[in-house]
Amino acid sequence: MDFEASQPIVKSEFIAVVLAGFGRELQPLTSNHGDEPCPKALLPIGNKPMIDHVLAWLEPSGITDVLLVCPTPHRRSIADHVGSDASASFPSLRIDLQTYGDPQDSSFGTGSILRTFAHRIDRDFVVLPCDFIPPPSLQLTTVLNKFRMESASDGSILTSTWYEAPPQADKPSGDEWGPHASPTSIVWDERSESLLQIEVPDSIARKTDDIEIEMSLLSMYPRLKLTNKLQDSNVFVCHRSVLELLRKKRRLESLGKGFLPWLCKINHRRSKKQAYKTLLQPYRKMPTLANALKNSTLNEPGTVTYKEEDDGRITTNHGPSTRVGLIVHKAGDGIAARASNLYNYLDINRRFLEQASQNQTGPPAKVPLVDAKAQISVDSSIGQSTRVEERAVIKKSVVGRHCVIGKMAKIVGCVILDHCVVEDGAKLEGCILGGSTKVGAKAELLKCVTQAGFEVDAGGHYRNAKLEISDWTTAGAYDDEESDEDEESGEESDDV
Amino acid sequence: MPPKGPAAKNKDIAPVEEDVIQAVILAESFNKRFKPLTIDRPRCLLPICNAPLLDWTLESLALAGVQEIFVVCRSHPELVKAAIKESKWSKPGSGLKIVPIVTAKQTFTPGDALRDIYTHGIITNDFVLVTGDLVSNIRIDEVVRVHKERRKVDRDAIMTMVVKESGVVHRTRSKGESAVFVVDPETDRLLHYESVTGYPKTKIARIPREVLNEHPECEIRYDLIDCSIDICSVEVPSLFQDNFDYGHIRRDFVHGVLTSDLLMKNIYTYVAKDGYAARVQDTKSYDAVSKDILSRWTFPLVPDNNHPSSHAYEHRRGNKYFPRDNTVILSRTCTVGTNTLIGSHSQIFDNAVITSSVIGRRCKILPRAKITNSYIFDDTTIEADCVITSSIIGTMVNVKEGTVVEKGCLIADEVTVGPKGLVKEFERVSKKTKTLGAASSTDDEDEDSELEDIGEEQLEKLRADLGTGSNAFVWPPRTLILEDEETDEIENVNNLRLMRLGDNATDSPVSEAESVSTDDASSPSESDVEDNLDESHSSASSNASTSTPATSSKGVSKEEVEFKLEVTQSLERAFEEGHSVDNASVELKTLRMASNVPLSRVREAVIAALVDRISVVSPEDGAAKQKVEVEKVVERWGELINKIGGIDGVETISILQNHCATTNTQLFGQILVSFYQNDVIDEDDLKNWQRLPASRTGQVDSAENHKKFWVIGSRILQQLLEQDSEDESDEDGDEDDE
């Protein structure tokens, strides 16, 4: 797709870089369905592919150029999606689809991707993950404005966005789908809204039970907040020079976990900053009072390196800052989340349902294929062309398009992707079914995740399991093979 | 008891016997920072703005509504007792009950003192624990109330520390001894306490990770001044009793309680938003607190109002204070600058200049003396033409005429210096006593230990400048004194420098500028290694002391050197082990990618390696043999030159020329021919090369060789053009002769 010709003469201020990953944490949902990939970006949240949420967030901010980067095997399906309805629903966005990496290479971090596509990014840019679901109260414009202000006032080159994790009320208590992500602890300054230190996972492993904070940092920001309540949205607004730094620091694979901590670190080290000074020249000098004071005759040259402000804070005037700005989104102002793992994915879907049910009044519009005797609660959503047969019960669930829900089936708190078949009398609770999953009659699944195309045999009982198809060649005759696939399955009573 | 709220409050206000607020003053400093001023009196009786420190502390406590005070004293207890007896607070009707408690000489730490308090069994209620050097106007009763409220909710709250918000740099905040507080912003509960020393400089504050488990959000604060006003519960002394190793209240007790898994006690902070509180912990804070009193930060505790010794002063413009009783005799020509206090019955003569200083009672400042930023106690005479800067001078001192006292000096009581003496900066001077050298008197044995190691003649040398009429000797600088068993990190010599009056520590090992730069050197472990890795993809070979990439140009050259080395090694391996040309070229390509160097560098390196590989045959053996050698190498490896990622024959020739010219190899012609025969270069390359102006001239230092080789090259070209390839050997021979 070549949009070069249609580009206006005046370049817009930002380019958005949307990164769609393999979605390893969402396996088996993102495992291949036969030869067809199931890209993470297209997993639905509230019956809408998650990438659409991101694009919808982007659009009102006035950014028009989008560089969408996805893994090579996903190219076709994403291109199809973006080419078809997305461009229709987001007419102002010019989407440039690029691919990277091969599925075996898992070490391809965000930093490396940016390095690879640096030549396509010719101005300040916004990095967005495909799985961040922003709340309505947080506008991208807010983040952009903060960056604009800070880069103008003290040369900050990066603004990050953090959100308070939602209260963990109804989180599944066990770790049936793998461990919960351990929280990162960060150190930030509330007054200047800067991010100062991030505990990187390897430092947690390396160091003992202490969080180490350098005194030079404390001297600059004597009143700090230390917290592990905040989570990184992986939304970054970056100055162009970030690419230069990334090019220089090749070792830093990931933007959020590698580059950001490094950038925070050099901020309070004067000599380090000196070393990277040449790269940090985005400092558009603004006629501030501090500059006026510096140039005044009252100021003896060289004597004032520290000046004590009236509120007692010490500001240091040496060159551009590498301060990392941050925006904190409180949980009280609407829930932000990232569908970065299975728990969050399920959680977000439920939240969408709750919101939807609050917004709409009265029973959902009757879908012609739903049997009159089926019970569908208000807080559920049923996709188009889905047939629900008589006396099926659906509560707090999202059912995708073109599904078939059999008689007497009971579905509670589930997310069911498109083209699934749930046969008569099956019971599903807290499950996520990948596309085209087939659940046999009277099967019972509790807190299970299935790979796309998986077939649960009739009457099968599974609990807390990830149901994956181990070998596609024997897909036809796998009958009792699943029993060793669900490693953690507590009790499986096969009755083949 | 929520329903009884108002009733309970009324009960609080009613004067019930059990609600007496008790206070414990630790009137002992347990350190020697004011030596030798404290030889003849305890530190708590040093005058500050002409009133003993203890009186200021009592005043502060009285202001806060404390009714019963225990004064713990160790050194010179009789003086403290007498002072308390004389104090206005001991008079009937003052509303204060002051009880001196004399602890044993073996009390070496505040912890010992508290254990002593415990054995006395005098504490019946929550009490206020302060040090005897406090000047404050904070409403401590408010803090006590908060503490008691909290106790109702949390029985484990055993202590509330009063801290004040300030910046990182504050005049009353000691650089040598401060702390990082980790506080829960919701409840003000102290979660972790980390003490910070100025020297050796604390570089990293360590906060236990488990703090976050219970408190997902906490504040790390380095902007708090510890006022050392603690509201303690009754069990605090018993905790000291149980944990006999608790010495220091902060570093041991607070830290211990917070980190202990067994005690399960909580400590809270109270951030005083307004009010003043500061400790006179060292000479530097003595200066700061004096100035604060003079500039009325401590209001209502100011010299003209509530003066603890009941002197009456008059406040004049520019924060000058003169006694109200008009007993001061000021010469018409003397100058009294701002921030100055002059005690009663003092006389200041013609042309004397006094600025930012405190002069005691009955002092005489003779003509033309100049006193700046200094503190002069009672009954002292400063004779004509003396200059005194940033020093503290005791009582009954006689500074004889023409003497210069440089900054930071401490001159003890009854000393005479001069005439025309010089007290060098930071010197400590005291009267020669008979105790020196001989066995010291019973009381002060530990106090004079500092002097025992110093020889008599050394002392003589030190006092040489003091002047002929002096009765004093100079204390040797602390650095000369062998560190005795007491090597407390806070009392470290260099750390103490940060606490000295007049010492801005610019020359000390922890000067500000340096401390910033050492921040980086301080953590070579991760940051620098990281950088080195980035700059040059070599491993640990680079010097660790080059903490930061010094300059980019240097970095590049280093990188290239590294690269060259790598290439040579790789080629050597290939030569030795007989790799295939393809393999070798792959290896080179990888190297090039890794080091990010231009292709020409690789070419240079390869050609250089090839040329070096050709063994030079001595001229006697003849050109033919040499030719065989050349052929051997080029035939096997020449291909490599064009397999490293690009073909550029002209450059190949230029590089070969360059290399041969600089290393003075005479094989240029032969190699060139050999290259041609092995299809490394072709005729066009030669032609183009010949046309290049650079080929003819070359570099300055090897221009001659360049020229020569150019001629050779041209000749070869000519021959080739003539398709005359038979008598190359002759040609070669000729060339070699040239």
Side-chain angles (χ1 to χ4, degrees), chain B residues 635-650:
Chain B
E635 201 176 7
R636 172 78 172 83
W637 294 105
E639 220 183 328
L640 188 60
I641 296 172
N642 287 337
K643 281 211 171 165
I644 52 172
I647 300 173
D648 187 347
V650 181

Side-chain angles (χ1 to χ4, degrees), chain B residues 603 641-642 646-657 668 672 675-693 695 710 713-714 716-718 720-721:
Chain B
R603 202 183 300 272
I641 296 172
N642 287 337
I647 300 173
D648 187 347
V650 181
E651 195 183 61
T652 306
I653 304 171
S654 303
I655 289 170
L656 179 67
Q657 184 192 18
F668 177 72
L672 198 62
F675 274 1
Y676 177 79
Q677 285 169 345
N678 285 292
D679 289 334
V680 178
I681 51 172
D682 57 29
E683 278 171 35
D684 293 340
D685 291 334
L686 260 176
K687 271 188 227 161
N688 289 335
W689 167 75
Q690 196 204 8
R691 276 189 222 120
L692 278 180
S695 321
W710 182 77
S714 309
I716 292 173
L717 179 65
Q718 219 172 356
L720 288 174
L721 289 176

Side-chain angles (χ1 to χ4, degrees), chain B residues 68 73 103 120 489 524 590 608 676 682 698:
Chain B
E68 197 175 353
C73 44
T103 70
H120 277 76
E489 51 181 354
T590 337
Y676 177 79
D682 57 29

Side-chain angles (χ1 to χ4, degrees), chain A residues 8-190:
Chain A
I9 297 153
V10 180
K11 270 186 192 159
S12 63
E13 191 182 359
F14 293 103
I15 180 169
V17 182
V18 180
L19 305 174
F22 287 103
R24 234 162 275 282
E25 267 87 55
L26 286 174
Q27 272 171 358
L29 284 182
T30 48
S31 306
N32 286 1
H33 176 209
D35 297 330
E36 282 295 301
C38 299
K40 174 183 179 183
L42 298 184
L43 287 182
I45 289 176
N47 268 341
K48 211 163 109 183
M50 56 170 94
I51 185 114
D52 281 9
H53 292 277
V54 177
L55 295 177
W57 196 49
L58 261 175
E59 201 185 16
S61 69
I63 295 177
T64 52
D65 297 298
V66 179
L67 177 66
L68 177 58
V69 183
C70 72
T72 315
H74 296 175
R75 184 185 173 104
R76 226 189 60 218
S77 40
I78 290 184
D80 281 351
H81 173 77
V82 170
S84 61
D85 51 339
S87 48
S89 46
F90 308 108
S92 72
L93 298 182
R94 280 193 300 270
I95 298 171
D96 177 12
L97 185 67
Q98 293 295 328
T99 59
Y100 69 92
D102 62 292
Q104 307 314 322
D105 183 13
S106 60
S107 65
F108 224 65
T110 43
S112 331
I113 295 177
L114 285 176
R115 270 192 283 273
T116 315
F117 294 104
H119 59 283
R120 293 186 171 266
I121 305 169
D122 52 354
R123 60 201 108 147
D124 298 356
F125 58 100
V126 187
V127 180
L128 302 121
C130 69
D131 57 0
F132 178 61
I133 309 300
S137 52
L138 178 67
Q139 294 292 321
L140 183 57
T141 323
T142 323
V143 187
L144 294 182
N145 281 345
K146 183 167 162 59
F147 173 79
R148 287 176 180 130
M149 210 173 73
E150 284 182 348
S151 61
S153 61
D154 66 353
S156 156
I157 57 167
L158 200 147
T159 299
S160 60
T161 316
W162 294 70
Y163 61 93
E164 220 169 74
Q168 311 208 337
D170 54 344
K171 269 269 168 85
S173 49
D175 48 1
E176 58 266 27
W177 296 336
H180 285 281
S182 61
T184 11
S185 35
I186 60 163
V187 175
W188 59 290
D189 180 42
E190 195 172 27

